[in-house]
Amino acid sequence: MPTYLFALTNSSILMKQKIEALILQALETLKADGVLGQEINPVITIERTRDAQHGDFASNLALALAKPVKANPRQLAEKIIAALPQDEAILKVELAGPGFINFFIDPASQFQIIKKIHSEGRQFGLSNVGAGKKVQVEFVSANPTGPLHVGHGRGAAYGSAVADLLEAVGFKVHREYYVNDAGRQMDILATSIWLRYLEECGEALPFPSNGYRGDYVREIAGDIYKSSLNEYRRPVSLVLENIPADEPQGGDKELHIDALIARTKTLLGSLLYRDFFQIGLNNILEDIKIDLHEFGVDYQQWFSERHLMEDGSVAKALERLRVGNHLYEQDGATWFASSKLGDEKDRVVVRENGQYTYFASDIAYHMNKLDRGFDQIIDIWGADHHGYIPRVRAAIKALGADESRLSVLLVQFATLYRGEEKVQMSTRSGEFVTLRQLRNEVGTDAARFFYVMRRSEQHMDFDLKLATSKSNENPVFYVQYAYARVCSVLRQLDEKGWQRNLVSGMECLSRLTEEHETSLIGTLIRYPEVLERAALQYEPHQLILYLRELANEFHTYYNAHQFLVEDANLRDARLNLICAVKQILANGLGLLNINTPESM
């Protein structure tokens, strides 16, 4: 494999960027000489070679330019090579094949990366490619109708990693949770709590099959009873009078729960009903906030859907669509003509009864995002929301905005296993595995690592047994153990009574000639590029893969060579190398909000 190298420049750019700058200078020279026209401004692609015989980097620029400038690609490549400025980091440049330009890097330049890592520390790898552009990342946004489960956990880990990576490369990131605190699901929750409260009061009644059955509902109801006793009690005969049959009795569960919601509001009145609604919302939302904070996820804003209803934002959004001739009336409802803007069919935004649909408030929420001036809006949804994307894009276009400002990233569900045994889960029944239970069993570090280990749109099997094992098969243990091993070496250095000479070690980096050492240095060099690519492509799993590779390189080096050798100069050079590894592990894991234990 080629040795991936890096030359330190005043602007701290990567070698690929340095080569691109050299090629641009060559093109300007050729333009000045009349070889190329002034209108030639190509996109320059620099790739790492797969074979060391072909150098370290290669460009196909001559092939790409041959047709527009009407030149033989090999002859054009020769002219580009001849016009390249001299640079001490470039050992030689060769023409290959039909017109590829291969760059061979001076091996002496590779050691600069170790000095750079030591000097920049936590800042190494960070960049300003985002140039301060404002990005809003909305993620998790689970209905506050129950505790977060393991499915929400994957969205939380992925969303926070995407946000943190974007921030690391220079974007101004605003993390947001959209609280669905208006609508039918919240009414079902409030009604479920009241029915459990009636049971606490001694009333016997069949609990609706479509109600929320989790123990948390009983706990909230129990707390209400303790504080208010029979204040909210109503006879069960009044509660169930003329209520349509539930599904177990051969009825329709949706009609049954909707009738119970209406009856609850009638018997309690608007003020008392609001008490149950608000108590349930506050209790569960606070629990969600605690769960996410303990999982390393915090937000700049918790945005209320109900706020959009109360401040007129939904009406304002629909009026904007109406002015743009995107709404029409049919069958007593108001429809958004989204099929004309890429959706498969039109969508109702105001029902026959005058109530806004969930989609109407979602249109208002996205209008609010646009009006706040975000350059990029990133929505992270569960994969089951895939069909919802076209209608939201249609709304963006209808609001007069560029739909490219919206990116929707999908997260597949996670299936839990304990070894070979699948862990059964459900939701409405209350028998699901919560995020808190998962953290208690495997720890936050393992949960976050496993959640972002694969592409978000790929289904994942989460092996609880593997996540808690202290073995090399456990990827998070393997990476953290590399960090801990470096710390152990430094402790052994102290135990021997030796002093590490950082300056001497830097002066003797040329002693690092072993294959394991050059390979490890090459891996270190790639970190800034991996970080930037992972951020811009919204793929934190790329950083995970890199950290696993770096850990593997280190463990292989550790097993093959002694670091604490008698030769002080070689010892200090090797210590500087492994401390650079330690720093990159800390930087990468830190961006993923995963700890770096010093002993394991």
Side-chain angles (χ1 to χ4, degrees), residues 326-360:
H326 297 293
L327 298 184
Y328 64 90
E329 310 297 323
Q330 181 176 302
D331 300 328
T334 302
W335 294 72
F336 170 42
S338 54
S339 62
K340 295 180 180 180
L341 298 169
D343 195 8
E344 62 180 354
K345 63 181 181 180
D346 294 346
R347 307 291 176 177
V348 175
V349 289
V350 183
R351 298 187 181 95
E352 296 175 46
N353 60 8
Q355 292 184 341
Y356 297 126
T357 62
Y358 175 82
F359 181 46

PDB file of all heavy atoms in Angstrom, residues 326-360:
ATOM      1  N   HIS A 326     -51.738  27.494  -4.049  1.00  0.00           N
ATOM      2  CA  HIS A 326     -51.404  26.095  -3.783  1.00  0.00           C
ATOM      3  C   HIS A 326     -52.469  25.389  -2.931  1.00  0.00           C
ATOM      4  O   HIS A 326     -52.303  24.210  -2.620  1.00  0.00           O
ATOM      5  CB  HIS A 326     -50.052  26.018  -3.066  1.00  0.00           C
ATOM      6  CG  HIS A 326     -48.900  26.522  -3.867  1.00  0.00           C
ATOM      7  ND1 HIS A 326     -48.457  25.889  -5.011  1.00  0.00           N
ATOM      8  CD2 HIS A 326     -48.106  27.608  -3.705  1.00  0.00           C
ATOM      9  CE1 HIS A 326     -47.431  26.565  -5.520  1.00  0.00           C
ATOM     10  NE2 HIS A 326     -47.204  27.613  -4.752  1.00  0.00           N
ATOM     11  N   LEU A 327     -53.541  26.104  -2.558  1.00  0.00           N
ATOM     12  CA  LEU A 327     -54.607  25.502  -1.753  1.00  0.00           C
ATOM     13  C   LEU A 327     -55.923  25.527  -2.530  1.00  0.00           C
ATOM     14  O   LEU A 327     -56.155  26.403  -3.368  1.00  0.00           O
ATOM     15  CB  LEU A 327     -54.788  26.258  -0.435  1.00  0.00           C
ATOM     16  CG  LEU A 327     -53.617  26.296   0.546  1.00  0.00           C
ATOM     17  CD1 LEU A 327     -54.033  27.003   1.845  1.00  0.00           C
ATOM     18  CD2 LEU A 327     -53.088  24.906   0.855  1.00  0.00           C
ATOM     19  N   TYR A 328     -56.788  24.563  -2.225  1.00  0.00           N
ATOM     20  CA  TYR A 328     -58.130  24.563  -2.795  1.00  0.00           C
ATOM     21  C   TYR A 328     -59.075  23.873  -1.819  1.00  0.00           C
ATOM     22  O   TYR A 328     -58.649  23.135  -0.916  1.00  0.00           O
ATOM     23  CB  TYR A 328     -58.160  23.873  -4.165  1.00  0.00           C
ATOM     24  CG  TYR A 328     -57.817  22.397  -4.157  1.00  0.00           C
ATOM     25  CD1 TYR A 328     -58.812  21.424  -3.999  1.00  0.00           C
ATOM     26  CD2 TYR A 328     -56.495  21.962  -4.311  1.00  0.00           C
ATOM     27  CE1 TYR A 328     -58.502  20.060  -4.007  1.00  0.00           C
ATOM     28  CE2 TYR A 328     -56.172  20.611  -4.319  1.00  0.00           C
ATOM     29  CZ  TYR A 328     -57.177  19.669  -4.161  1.00  0.00           C
ATOM     30  OH  TYR A 328     -56.860  18.340  -4.160  1.00  0.00           O
ATOM     31  N   GLU A 329     -60.372  24.132  -1.974  1.00  0.00           N
ATOM     32  CA  GLU A 329     -61.403  23.562  -1.104  1.00  0.00           C
ATOM     33  C   GLU A 329     -62.083  22.397  -1.813  1.00  0.00           C
ATOM     34  O   GLU A 329     -62.412  22.486  -3.002  1.00  0.00           O
ATOM     35  CB  GLU A 329     -62.446  24.617  -0.739  1.00  0.00           C
ATOM     36  CG  GLU A 329     -61.880  25.924  -0.222  1.00  0.00           C
ATOM     37  CD  GLU A 329     -61.123  25.760   1.078  1.00  0.00           C
ATOM     38  OE1 GLU A 329     -61.558  24.940   1.911  1.00  0.00           O
ATOM     39  OE2 GLU A 329     -60.092  26.449   1.262  1.00  0.00           O
ATOM     40  N   GLN A 330     -62.307  21.318  -1.054  1.00  0.00           N
ATOM     41  CA  GLN A 330     -63.018  20.164  -1.614  1.00  0.00           C
ATOM     42  C   GLN A 330     -63.586  19.331  -0.484  1.00  0.00           C
ATOM     43  O   GLN A 330     -62.895  19.055   0.499  1.00  0.00           O
ATOM     44  CB  GLN A 330     -62.067  19.322  -2.474  1.00  0.00           C
ATOM     45  CG  GLN A 330     -62.728  18.108  -3.125  1.00  0.00           C
ATOM     46  CD  GLN A 330     -61.771  17.360  -4.033  1.00  0.00           C
ATOM     47  OE1 GLN A 330     -61.220  17.920  -4.979  1.00  0.00           O
ATOM     48  NE2 GLN A 330     -61.569  16.076  -3.748  1.00  0.00           N
ATOM     49  N   ASP A 331     -64.850  18.939  -0.614  1.00  0.00           N
ATOM     50  CA  ASP A 331     -65.541  18.100   0.376  1.00  0.00           C
ATOM     51  C   ASP A 331     -65.461  18.699   1.781  1.00  0.00           C
ATOM     52  O   ASP A 331     -65.341  17.976   2.777  1.00  0.00           O
ATOM     53  CB  ASP A 331     -64.944  16.688   0.384  1.00  0.00           C
ATOM     54  CG  ASP A 331     -65.073  16.001  -0.970  1.00  0.00           C
ATOM     55  OD1 ASP A 331     -66.068  16.272  -1.670  1.00  0.00           O
ATOM     56  OD2 ASP A 331     -64.163  15.214  -1.309  1.00  0.00           O
ATOM     57  N   GLY A 332     -65.532  20.010   1.854  1.00  0.00           N
ATOM     58  CA  GLY A 332     -65.537  20.672   3.141  1.00  0.00           C
ATOM     59  C   GLY A 332     -64.175  20.832   3.786  1.00  0.00           C
ATOM     60  O   GLY A 332     -64.054  21.419   4.864  1.00  0.00           O
ATOM     61  N   ALA A 333     -63.106  20.305   3.149  1.00  0.00           N
ATOM     62  CA  ALA A 333     -61.745  20.384   3.690  1.00  0.00           C
ATOM     63  C   ALA A 333     -60.890  21.291   2.800  1.00  0.00           C
ATOM     64  O   ALA A 333     -61.249  21.586   1.655  1.00  0.00           O
ATOM     65  CB  ALA A 333     -61.122  18.997   3.777  1.00  0.00           C
ATOM     66  N   THR A 334     -59.765  21.714   3.355  1.00  0.00           N
ATOM     67  CA  THR A 334     -58.803  22.501   2.598  1.00  0.00           C
ATOM     68  C   THR A 334     -57.631  21.608   2.226  1.00  0.00           C
ATOM     69  O   THR A 334     -57.045  20.942   3.093  1.00  0.00           O
ATOM     70  CB  THR A 334     -58.298  23.708   3.412  1.00  0.00           C
ATOM     71  OG1 THR A 334     -59.425  24.522   3.784  1.00  0.00           O
ATOM     72  CG2 THR A 334     -57.319  24.540   2.602  1.00  0.00           C
ATOM     73  N   TRP A 335     -57.267  21.621   0.942  1.00  0.00           N
ATOM     74  CA  TRP A 335     -56.236  20.723   0.429  1.00  0.00           C
ATOM     75  C   TRP A 335     -55.040  21.524  -0.076  1.00  0.00           C
ATOM     76  O   TRP A 335     -55.188  22.619  -0.628  1.00  0.00           O
ATOM     77  CB  TRP A 335     -56.790  19.901  -0.741  1.00  0.00           C
ATOM     78  CG  TRP A 335     -57.870  18.941  -0.351  1.00  0.00           C
ATOM     79  CD1 TRP A 335     -59.155  19.244   0.008  1.00  0.00           C
ATOM     80  CD2 TRP A 335     -57.778  17.524  -0.290  1.00  0.00           C
ATOM     81  NE1 TRP A 335     -59.866  18.114   0.298  1.00  0.00           N
ATOM     82  CE2 TRP A 335     -59.040  17.025   0.126  1.00  0.00           C
ATOM     83  CE3 TRP A 335     -56.761  16.601  -0.546  1.00  0.00           C
ATOM     84  CZ2 TRP A 335     -59.312  15.672   0.272  1.00  0.00           C
ATOM     85  CZ3 TRP A 335     -57.029  15.251  -0.398  1.00  0.00           C
ATOM     86  CH2 TRP A 335     -58.280  14.796   0.017  1.00  0.00           C
ATOM     87  N   PHE A 336     -53.857  20.937   0.101  1.00  0.00           N
ATOM     88  CA  PHE A 336     -52.615  21.467  -0.467  1.00  0.00           C
ATOM     89  C   PHE A 336     -52.349  20.705  -1.756  1.00  0.00           C
ATOM     90  O   PHE A 336     -52.254  19.470  -1.753  1.00  0.00           O
ATOM     91  CB  PHE A 336     -51.465  21.290   0.528  1.00  0.00           C
ATOM     92  CG  PHE A 336     -50.094  21.580  -0.020  1.00  0.00           C
ATOM     93  CD1 PHE A 336     -49.860  22.665  -0.853  1.00  0.00           C
ATOM     94  CD2 PHE A 336     -49.011  20.768   0.307  1.00  0.00           C
ATOM     95  CE1 PHE A 336     -48.596  22.935  -1.357  1.00  0.00           C
ATOM     96  CE2 PHE A 336     -47.742  21.032  -0.176  1.00  0.00           C
ATOM     97  CZ  PHE A 336     -47.527  22.114  -1.018  1.00  0.00           C
ATOM     98  N   ALA A 337     -52.201  21.417  -2.870  1.00  0.00           N
ATOM     99  CA  ALA A 337     -52.004  20.781  -4.180  1.00  0.00           C
ATOM    100  C   ALA A 337     -50.554  20.339  -4.332  1.00  0.00           C
ATOM    101  O   ALA A 337     -49.830  20.787  -5.236  1.00  0.00           O
ATOM    102  CB  ALA A 337     -52.399  21.750  -5.287  1.00  0.00           C
ATOM    103  N   SER A 338     -50.159  19.437  -3.488  1.00  0.00           N
ATOM    104  CA  SER A 338     -48.755  19.011  -3.462  1.00  0.00           C
ATOM    105  C   SER A 338     -48.392  18.117  -4.631  1.00  0.00           C
ATOM    106  O   SER A 338     -47.214  17.974  -4.971  1.00  0.00           O
ATOM    107  CB  SER A 338     -48.449  18.295  -2.137  1.00  0.00           C
ATOM    108  OG  SER A 338     -49.347  17.228  -1.915  1.00  0.00           O
ATOM    109  N   SER A 339     -49.394  17.495  -5.277  1.00  0.00           N
ATOM    110  CA  SER A 339     -49.095  16.599  -6.399  1.00  0.00           C
ATOM    111  C   SER A 339     -48.492  17.367  -7.574  1.00  0.00           C
ATOM    112  O   SER A 339     -47.803  16.790  -8.405  1.00  0.00           O
ATOM    113  CB  SER A 339     -50.360  15.866  -6.842  1.00  0.00           C
ATOM    114  OG  SER A 339     -51.334  16.802  -7.303  1.00  0.00           O
ATOM    115  N   LYS A 340     -48.748  18.681  -7.646  1.00  0.00           N
ATOM    116  CA  LYS A 340     -48.181  19.501  -8.713  1.00  0.00           C
ATOM    117  C   LYS A 340     -46.718  19.839  -8.442  1.00  0.00           C
ATOM    118  O   LYS A 340     -46.042  20.382  -9.311  1.00  0.00           O
ATOM    119  CB  LYS A 340     -48.982  20.793  -8.865  1.00  0.00           C
ATOM    120  CG  LYS A 340     -50.425  20.581  -9.320  1.00  0.00           C
ATOM    121  CD  LYS A 340     -51.151  21.911  -9.450  1.00  0.00           C
ATOM    122  CE  LYS A 340     -52.589  21.702  -9.914  1.00  0.00           C
ATOM    123  NZ  LYS A 340     -53.318  22.989 -10.040  1.00  0.00           N
ATOM    124  N   LEU A 341     -46.248  19.505  -7.224  1.00  0.00           N
ATOM    125  CA  LEU A 341     -44.888  19.859  -6.820  1.00  0.00           C
ATOM    126  C   LEU A 341     -44.059  18.631  -6.458  1.00  0.00           C
ATOM    127  O   LEU A 341     -43.104  18.722  -5.684  1.00  0.00           O
ATOM    128  CB  LEU A 341     -44.935  20.834  -5.638  1.00  0.00           C
ATOM    129  CG  LEU A 341     -45.616  22.178  -5.923  1.00  0.00           C
ATOM    130  CD1 LEU A 341     -45.852  22.945  -4.635  1.00  0.00           C
ATOM    131  CD2 LEU A 341     -44.764  23.002  -6.883  1.00  0.00           C
ATOM    132  N   GLY A 342     -44.454  17.471  -6.991  1.00  0.00           N
ATOM    133  CA  GLY A 342     -43.634  16.280  -6.814  1.00  0.00           C
ATOM    134  C   GLY A 342     -44.178  15.240  -5.865  1.00  0.00           C
ATOM    135  O   GLY A 342     -43.622  14.139  -5.772  1.00  0.00           O
ATOM    136  N   ASP A 343     -45.266  15.544  -5.134  1.00  0.00           N
ATOM    137  CA  ASP A 343     -45.855  14.561  -4.223  1.00  0.00           C
ATOM    138  C   ASP A 343     -46.764  13.622  -5.021  1.00  0.00           C
ATOM    139  O   ASP A 343     -47.222  13.964  -6.120  1.00  0.00           O
ATOM    140  CB  ASP A 343     -46.642  15.289  -3.134  1.00  0.00           C
ATOM    141  CG  ASP A 343     -46.981  14.399  -1.948  1.00  0.00           C
ATOM    142  OD1 ASP A 343     -46.478  13.254  -1.906  1.00  0.00           O
ATOM    143  OD2 ASP A 343     -47.744  14.840  -1.076  1.00  0.00           O
ATOM    144  N   GLU A 344     -47.033  12.443  -4.460  1.00  0.00           N
ATOM    145  CA  GLU A 344     -47.838  11.470  -5.197  1.00  0.00           C
ATOM    146  C   GLU A 344     -49.323  11.837  -5.218  1.00  0.00           C
ATOM    147  O   GLU A 344     -50.065  11.397  -6.102  1.00  0.00           O
ATOM    148  CB  GLU A 344     -47.659  10.068  -4.587  1.00  0.00           C
ATOM    149  CG  GLU A 344     -48.121   9.950  -3.148  1.00  0.00           C
ATOM    150  CD  GLU A 344     -47.927   8.552  -2.588  1.00  0.00           C
ATOM    151  OE1 GLU A 344     -47.533   7.668  -3.366  1.00  0.00           O
ATOM    152  OE2 GLU A 344     -48.178   8.354  -1.386  1.00  0.00           O
ATOM    153  N   LYS A 345     -49.780  12.639  -4.254  1.00  0.00           N
ATOM    154  CA  LYS A 345     -51.173  13.067  -4.220  1.00  0.00           C
ATOM    155  C   LYS A 345     -51.288  14.332  -3.376  1.00  0.00           C
ATOM    156  O   LYS A 345     -50.355  14.714  -2.673  1.00  0.00           O
ATOM    157  CB  LYS A 345     -52.068  11.961  -3.646  1.00  0.00           C
ATOM    158  CG  LYS A 345     -51.758  11.585  -2.204  1.00  0.00           C
ATOM    159  CD  LYS A 345     -52.682  10.473  -1.730  1.00  0.00           C
ATOM    160  CE  LYS A 345     -52.403  10.102  -0.268  1.00  0.00           C
ATOM    161  NZ  LYS A 345     -53.300   9.030   0.202  1.00  0.00           N
ATOM    162  N   ASP A 346     -52.438  14.991  -3.468  1.00  0.00           N
ATOM    163  CA  ASP A 346     -52.666  16.189  -2.677  1.00  0.00           C
ATOM    164  C   ASP A 346     -52.926  15.821  -1.214  1.00  0.00           C
ATOM    165  O   ASP A 346     -53.325  14.682  -0.901  1.00  0.00           O
ATOM    166  CB  ASP A 346     -53.855  16.976  -3.242  1.00  0.00           C
ATOM    167  CG  ASP A 346     -53.564  17.530  -4.632  1.00  0.00           C
ATOM    168  OD1 ASP A 346     -52.372  17.529  -5.022  1.00  0.00           O
ATOM    169  OD2 ASP A 346     -54.510  17.943  -5.315  1.00  0.00           O
ATOM    170  N   ARG A 347     -52.725  16.799  -0.325  1.00  0.00           N
ATOM    171  CA  ARG A 347     -52.817  16.532   1.113  1.00  0.00           C
ATOM    172  C   ARG A 347     -53.791  17.493   1.790  1.00  0.00           C
ATOM    173  O   ARG A 347     -53.801  18.694   1.503  1.00  0.00           O
ATOM    174  CB  ARG A 347     -51.438  16.694   1.768  1.00  0.00           C
ATOM    175  CG  ARG A 347     -50.337  15.877   1.103  1.00  0.00           C
ATOM    176  CD  ARG A 347     -50.517  14.393   1.314  1.00  0.00           C
ATOM    177  NE  ARG A 347     -49.485  13.637   0.586  1.00  0.00           N
ATOM    178  CZ  ARG A 347     -49.352  12.312   0.639  1.00  0.00           C
ATOM    179  NH1 ARG A 347     -50.180  11.588   1.394  1.00  0.00           N
ATOM    180  NH2 ARG A 347     -48.412  11.698  -0.066  1.00  0.00           N
ATOM    181  N   VAL A 348     -54.565  16.958   2.722  1.00  0.00           N
ATOM    182  CA  VAL A 348     -55.483  17.786   3.517  1.00  0.00           C
ATOM    183  C   VAL A 348     -54.678  18.564   4.556  1.00  0.00           C
ATOM    184  O   VAL A 348     -53.820  18.001   5.239  1.00  0.00           O
ATOM    185  CB  VAL A 348     -56.545  16.924   4.223  1.00  0.00           C
ATOM    186  CG1 VAL A 348     -57.407  17.785   5.145  1.00  0.00           C
ATOM    187  CG2 VAL A 348     -57.420  16.212   3.203  1.00  0.00           C
ATOM    188  N   VAL A 349     -54.957  19.872   4.673  1.00  0.00           N
ATOM    189  CA  VAL A 349     -54.293  20.686   5.694  1.00  0.00           C
ATOM    190  C   VAL A 349     -55.284  21.213   6.730  1.00  0.00           C
ATOM    191  O   VAL A 349     -54.901  21.533   7.852  1.00  0.00           O
ATOM    192  CB  VAL A 349     -53.502  21.853   5.061  1.00  0.00           C
ATOM    193  CG1 VAL A 349     -52.266  21.327   4.333  1.00  0.00           C
ATOM    194  CG2 VAL A 349     -54.373  22.679   4.120  1.00  0.00           C
ATOM    195  N   VAL A 350     -56.571  21.311   6.332  1.00  0.00           N
ATOM    196  CA  VAL A 350     -57.625  21.674   7.291  1.00  0.00           C
ATOM    197  C   VAL A 350     -58.774  20.687   7.101  1.00  0.00           C
ATOM    198  O   VAL A 350     -59.323  20.563   6.004  1.00  0.00           O
ATOM    199  CB  VAL A 350     -58.136  23.117   7.092  1.00  0.00           C
ATOM    200  CG1 VAL A 350     -59.172  23.461   8.172  1.00  0.00           C
ATOM    201  CG2 VAL A 350     -56.987  24.116   7.125  1.00  0.00           C
ATOM    202  N   ARG A 351     -59.126  19.969   8.167  1.00  0.00           N
ATOM    203  CA  ARG A 351     -60.175  18.958   8.077  1.00  0.00           C
ATOM    204  C   ARG A 351     -61.554  19.616   7.978  1.00  0.00           C
ATOM    205  O   ARG A 351     -61.722  20.820   8.204  1.00  0.00           O
ATOM    206  CB  ARG A 351     -60.121  18.030   9.290  1.00  0.00           C
ATOM    207  CG  ARG A 351     -58.812  17.252   9.416  1.00  0.00           C
ATOM    208  CD  ARG A 351     -58.916  16.230  10.545  1.00  0.00           C
ATOM    209  NE  ARG A 351     -57.669  15.483  10.705  1.00  0.00           N
ATOM    210  CZ  ARG A 351     -56.710  15.804  11.564  1.00  0.00           C
ATOM    211  NH1 ARG A 351     -56.861  16.874  12.352  1.00  0.00           N
ATOM    212  NH2 ARG A 351     -55.604  15.084  11.646  1.00  0.00           N
ATOM    213  N   GLU A 352     -62.552  18.774   7.716  1.00  0.00           N
ATOM    214  CA  GLU A 352     -63.928  19.258   7.622  1.00  0.00           C
ATOM    215  C   GLU A 352     -64.384  19.940   8.898  1.00  0.00           C
ATOM    216  O   GLU A 352     -65.199  20.870   8.864  1.00  0.00           O
ATOM    217  CB  GLU A 352     -64.870  18.093   7.286  1.00  0.00           C
ATOM    218  CG  GLU A 352     -64.613  17.451   5.925  1.00  0.00           C
ATOM    219  CD  GLU A 352     -65.500  16.236   5.709  1.00  0.00           C
ATOM    220  OE1 GLU A 352     -66.710  16.333   5.982  1.00  0.00           O
ATOM    221  OE2 GLU A 352     -64.979  15.190   5.274  1.00  0.00           O
ATOM    222  N   ASN A 353     -63.874  19.488  10.037  1.00  0.00           N
ATOM    223  CA  ASN A 353     -64.272  20.082  11.328  1.00  0.00           C
ATOM    224  C   ASN A 353     -63.498  21.355  11.659  1.00  0.00           C
ATOM    225  O   ASN A 353     -63.639  21.908  12.750  1.00  0.00           O
ATOM    226  CB  ASN A 353     -64.107  19.068  12.464  1.00  0.00           C
ATOM    227  CG  ASN A 353     -62.666  18.573  12.615  1.00  0.00           C
ATOM    228  OD1 ASN A 353     -61.745  19.088  11.973  1.00  0.00           O
ATOM    229  ND2 ASN A 353     -62.474  17.565  13.462  1.00  0.00           N
ATOM    230  N   GLY A 354     -62.661  21.797  10.715  1.00  0.00           N
ATOM    231  CA  GLY A 354     -61.931  23.037  10.927  1.00  0.00           C
ATOM    232  C   GLY A 354     -60.590  22.879  11.620  1.00  0.00           C
ATOM    233  O   GLY A 354     -59.866  23.873  11.801  1.00  0.00           O
ATOM    234  N   GLN A 355     -60.250  21.653  12.014  1.00  0.00           N
ATOM    235  CA  GLN A 355     -58.983  21.433  12.709  1.00  0.00           C
ATOM    236  C   GLN A 355     -57.837  21.272  11.709  1.00  0.00           C
ATOM    237  O   GLN A 355     -57.996  20.683  10.641  1.00  0.00           O
ATOM    238  CB  GLN A 355     -59.068  20.192  13.600  1.00  0.00           C
ATOM    239  CG  GLN A 355     -60.004  20.356  14.787  1.00  0.00           C
ATOM    240  CD  GLN A 355     -59.986  19.137  15.694  1.00  0.00           C
ATOM    241  OE1 GLN A 355     -59.561  18.050  15.294  1.00  0.00           O
ATOM    242  NE2 GLN A 355     -60.451  19.296  16.924  1.00  0.00           N
ATOM    243  N   TYR A 356     -56.675  21.817  12.107  1.00  0.00           N
ATOM    244  CA  TYR A 356     -55.485  21.651  11.276  1.00  0.00           C
ATOM    245  C   TYR A 356     -54.993  20.206  11.347  1.00  0.00           C
ATOM    246  O   TYR A 356     -55.082  19.552  12.397  1.00  0.00           O
ATOM    247  CB  TYR A 356     -54.354  22.558  11.749  1.00  0.00           C
ATOM    248  CG  TYR A 356     -54.637  24.037  11.646  1.00  0.00           C
ATOM    249  CD1 TYR A 356     -54.508  24.872  12.752  1.00  0.00           C
ATOM    250  CD2 TYR A 356     -55.009  24.601  10.430  1.00  0.00           C
ATOM    251  CE1 TYR A 356     -54.746  26.238  12.658  1.00  0.00           C
ATOM    252  CE2 TYR A 356     -55.258  25.967  10.324  1.00  0.00           C
ATOM    253  CZ  TYR A 356     -55.130  26.776  11.444  1.00  0.00           C
ATOM    254  OH  TYR A 356     -55.374  28.118  11.337  1.00  0.00           O
ATOM    255  N   THR A 357     -54.458  19.716  10.258  1.00  0.00           N
ATOM    256  CA  THR A 357     -53.807  18.409  10.271  1.00  0.00           C
ATOM    257  C   THR A 357     -52.385  18.559  10.802  1.00  0.00           C
ATOM    258  O   THR A 357     -51.850  19.677  10.904  1.00  0.00           O
ATOM    259  CB  THR A 357     -53.741  17.812   8.859  1.00  0.00           C
ATOM    260  OG1 THR A 357     -52.941  18.672   8.027  1.00  0.00           O
ATOM    261  CG2 THR A 357     -55.130  17.661   8.262  1.00  0.00           C
ATOM    262  N   TYR A 358     -51.779  17.420  11.129  1.00  0.00           N
ATOM    263  CA  TYR A 358     -50.388  17.441  11.571  1.00  0.00           C
ATOM    264  C   TYR A 358     -49.496  18.027  10.480  1.00  0.00           C
ATOM    265  O   TYR A 358     -48.557  18.780  10.753  1.00  0.00           O
ATOM    266  CB  TYR A 358     -49.925  16.032  11.924  1.00  0.00           C
ATOM    267  CG  TYR A 358     -48.457  15.952  12.270  1.00  0.00           C
ATOM    268  CD1 TYR A 358     -48.003  16.282  13.538  1.00  0.00           C
ATOM    269  CD2 TYR A 358     -47.516  15.577  11.304  1.00  0.00           C
ATOM    270  CE1 TYR A 358     -46.656  16.230  13.857  1.00  0.00           C
ATOM    271  CE2 TYR A 358     -46.166  15.530  11.604  1.00  0.00           C
ATOM    272  CZ  TYR A 358     -45.746  15.854  12.886  1.00  0.00           C
ATOM    273  OH  TYR A 358     -44.402  15.822  13.192  1.00  0.00           O
ATOM    274  N   PHE A 359     -49.812  17.715   9.229  1.00  0.00           N
ATOM    275  CA  PHE A 359     -48.997  18.216   8.130  1.00  0.00           C
ATOM    276  C   PHE A 359     -49.051  19.739   8.049  1.00  0.00           C
ATOM    277  O   PHE A 359     -48.068  20.391   7.696  1.00  0.00           O
ATOM    278  CB  PHE A 359     -49.465  17.586   6.811  1.00  0.00           C
ATOM    279  CG  PHE A 359     -48.675  18.014   5.617  1.00  0.00           C
ATOM    280  CD1 PHE A 359     -47.289  18.047   5.640  1.00  0.00           C
ATOM    281  CD2 PHE A 359     -49.321  18.410   4.439  1.00  0.00           C
ATOM    282  CE1 PHE A 359     -46.547  18.447   4.525  1.00  0.00           C
ATOM    283  CE2 PHE A 359     -48.591  18.804   3.329  1.00  0.00           C
ATOM    284  CZ  PHE A 359     -47.209  18.828   3.376  1.00  0.00           C
ATOM    285  N   ALA A 360     -50.203  20.324   8.390  1.00  0.00           N
ATOM    286  CA  ALA A 360     -50.318  21.785   8.365  1.00  0.00           C
ATOM    287  C   ALA A 360     -49.347  22.424   9.346  1.00  0.00           C
ATOM    288  O   ALA A 360     -48.669  23.410   9.022  1.00  0.00           O
ATOM    289  CB  ALA A 360     -51.749  22.202   8.685  1.00  0.00           C
TER     290      ALA A 360
END
